[in-house]
Amino acid sequence: MTQRAYNFSAGPAVLPEPVLAEVGRDLLALPNAKASILEISHRSPTFKEILAAAQANLRQLLSIPDNYEVLFLQGGSRLQFSMIPMNLRADGRSADYILTGSWSKISQKEAQTGGDTHVAWDGSDTNYSALPSNTDLRLDTDAAYAHFTSNETIHGVQFATEPDVGGVPLVCDASSDFLHKPLPIERYGLLYACAQKNAGPAGVTIVIIRKDLLERSRDDLPSYLNYRVHAEAGSLMNTAPTFAIYVVRLVTDWLINEIGGLEKMHSQNRSKAKMVYDVIEASDNFYVGHAQPECRSLMNVVFRLPNEELTEKFVSEAAEQDLVSLGGHRSVGGIRASIYNAMPVAGVAKLCDFMTQFRDANCG
Ligand SMILES: *Cc1c(COP(=O)(O)O)cnc(C)c1O
């Protein structure tokens, strides 16, 4: 078998090896269907069972209450940037946005089409290295909803707890930290995540929405863009992304059966992240983290080296040791190590050893 490197890509990203092995084993024919997951109808009993299992697993892992729908949609998180205002801002009210990095900025920009937005906080003056406290937020108590990004994949800042937005429905882009820890779902109006960071492959986006909010979806919306239509059709109004949903089912099986739930996943994630931040802190400013310590992401560790030349050398020497996709996002530069759920502790340990050796060899 081809050797696998440790893959620190921000997304599509590393998947659990047992999941990939199972996909490979069953790709020609699923045990009961005698056909491939790539070949069967989205309305076949076999696929309906997979869809139901994926949903049941998510409900179990996140303790999702009965008054929430779980939808499996296409179009990525980017389509949610538009669907959310189209559906939830129906009666002409404005929507609040908390701007903590590139993704929340794009989501607000997208929501400016067809209605009003209001910026409740903007971290641009620290180049998005900090997060607001509840008292920093300038909220509109009449807003249709308040949107935040729980983990900024590019800037590497992550909320430890949900911002308090009072009685306004809280909407969360959880694309890059979905399933990394348990969540109090009842605090959310809507939470969405494309699968390809922490929950599966590209092609499906999970939307968890409180049922009363479905009443806001107007009948004159294009049907694919209407949450109520998807909820009524059980995510099968058209051909669902069958393969992606199948893999989400396997990833959630893995979280339940092999990891032992999201509390355990969270504690593994905390210790993996601490390993890397500890190396950064012990480096005598050779490595400089982007995020302020109290809002460091457990998922995307973003840091800089003293100069561009050393950064390039770091990325290429790491790749020679099978530590791949460590280059930072083009807008921020530096290094980004994405250490999602599926990144093994051994991969993080190998990265930490490499970082220590690289510093010792290059700190001049
Ligand atoms: C990757 C990402 C997106 C965009 O997801 P797509 O599926 O490519 O549309 C949005 N928000 C966050 C936080 C992300 O990490």
Side-chain angles (χ1 to χ4, degrees):
M1 202 168 103
T2 315
Q3 198 190 321
R4 282 169 57 76
Y6 287 116
N7 172 17
F8 295 91
S9 168
V14 59
L15 285 164
E17 218 170 287
V19 167
L20 294 174
E22 185 168 346
V23 171
R25 220 167 37 235
D26 290 349
L27 192 63
L28 278 181
L30 287 168
N32 296 319
K34 298 191 176 175
S36 173
I37 179 65
L38 299 172
E39 302 170 310
I40 60 172
S41 167
H42 59 295
R43 304 201 187 277
S44 64
T46 302
F47 181 71
K48 283 192 170 166
E49 193 188 304
I50 289 168
L51 179 66
Q55 179 173 157
N57 282 353
L58 289 171
R59 286 192 179 275
Q60 179 184 337
L61 283 163
L62 287 164
S63 307
I64 300 174
D66 289 342
N67 62 327
Y68 286 76
E69 290 282 352
V70 179
L71 308 177
F72 296 88
L73 307 180
Q74 301 193 54
S77 288
R78 283 297 277 257
L79 185 58
Q80 293 312 304
F81 293 173
S82 307
M83 274 178 80
I84 289 162
M86 285 172 117
N87 283 266
L88 299 189
R89 200 175 47 184
D91 58 1
R93 278 184 287 167
S94 165
D96 270 356
Y97 279 78
I98 300 172
L99 305 189
T100 53
S102 301
W103 286 114
S104 45
K105 273 179 20 183
I106 298 169
S107 63
Q108 186 242 345
K109 189 157 176 272
E110 206 67 60
Q112 284 174 328
T113 318
D116 293 332
T117 62
H118 166 252
V119 173
W121 190 81
D122 183 352
S124 60
D125 56 351
T126 67
N127 189 21
Y128 302 106
S129 64
L131 293 175
S133 65
N134 286 326
T135 52
D136 295 331
L137 299 173
R138 287 162 322 206
L139 296 163
D140 169 5
T141 50
D142 249 359
Y145 60 86
H147 180 283
F148 82 111
T149 304
S150 51
N151 181 63
E152 287 282 357
T153 323
I154 292 172
H155 290 87
V157 292
Q158 183 178 34
F159 282 86
T161 54
E162 295 75 16
D164 182 357
V165 297
V168 167
L170 182 65
V171 172
C172 176
D173 178 356
S175 295
S176 53
D177 66 359
F178 188 56
L179 300 176
H180 93 291
K181 70 169 186 184
L183 288 178
I185 294 292
E186 57 287 347
R187 288 198 57 182
Y188 295 81
L190 186 155
L191 181 141
Y192 63 103
C194 51
Q196 73 269 19
K197 276 57 186 275
N198 213 19
V204 66
T205 297
I206 293 145
V207 174
I208 301 171
I209 180 170
R210 213 175 61 213
K211 284 180 182 167
D212 62 281
L213 294 174
L214 295 170
E215 287 159 26
R216 296 193 191 182
S217 299
R218 290 190 329 258
D219 288 332
D220 63 348
L221 285 172
S223 54
Y224 194 87
L225 303 181
N226 187 321
Y227 289 130
R228 192 160 34 76
V229 170
H230 288 290
E232 284 165 3
S235 298
L236 289 174
M237 80 157 272
N238 71 334
T239 309
T242 48
F243 180 75
I245 292 171
Y246 163 69
V247 181
V248 168
R249 185 257 169 101
L250 298 182
V251 169
T252 49
D253 279 345
W254 172 81
L255 282 166
I256 292 168
N257 300 323
E258 297 197 36
I259 298 297
L262 297 188
E263 285 292 355
K264 295 218 169 103
M265 193 70 257
H266 190 205
S267 94
Q268 258 192 45
N269 284 327
R270 277 193 310 249
S271 54
K272 284 189 292 182
K274 182 173 188 303
M275 288 163 70
V276 188
Y277 289 116
D278 281 352
V279 172
I280 292 173
E281 280 192 359
S283 76
D284 227 349
N285 282 328
F286 182 77
Y287 301 117
V288 178
H290 179 73
Q292 294 179 9
E294 62 283 3
C295 43
R296 285 167 167 167
S297 170
L298 301 184
M299 299 278 103
N300 311 97
V301 182
V302 177
F303 57 94
R304 282 184 299 278
L305 277 76
N307 59 53
E308 200 51 43
E309 195 185 324
L310 281 172
T311 307
E312 280 170 27
K313 192 174 172 202
F314 180 100
V315 172
S316 68
E317 288 186 11
E320 282 163 25
Q321 296 196 28
D322 276 343
L323 301 164
V324 303
S325 292
L326 282 162
H329 188 270
R330 58 193 184 279
S331 66
V332 185
I335 302 294
R336 170 172 53 175
S338 297
I339 49 173
Y340 297 120
N341 286 352
M343 172 56 65
V345 178
V348 176
K350 188 167 173 183
L351 172 67
C352 289
D353 287 346
F354 170 77
M355 286 172 69
T356 303
Q357 283 160 20
F358 187 88
R359 181 206 170 259
D360 291 347
N362 293 283
C363 69

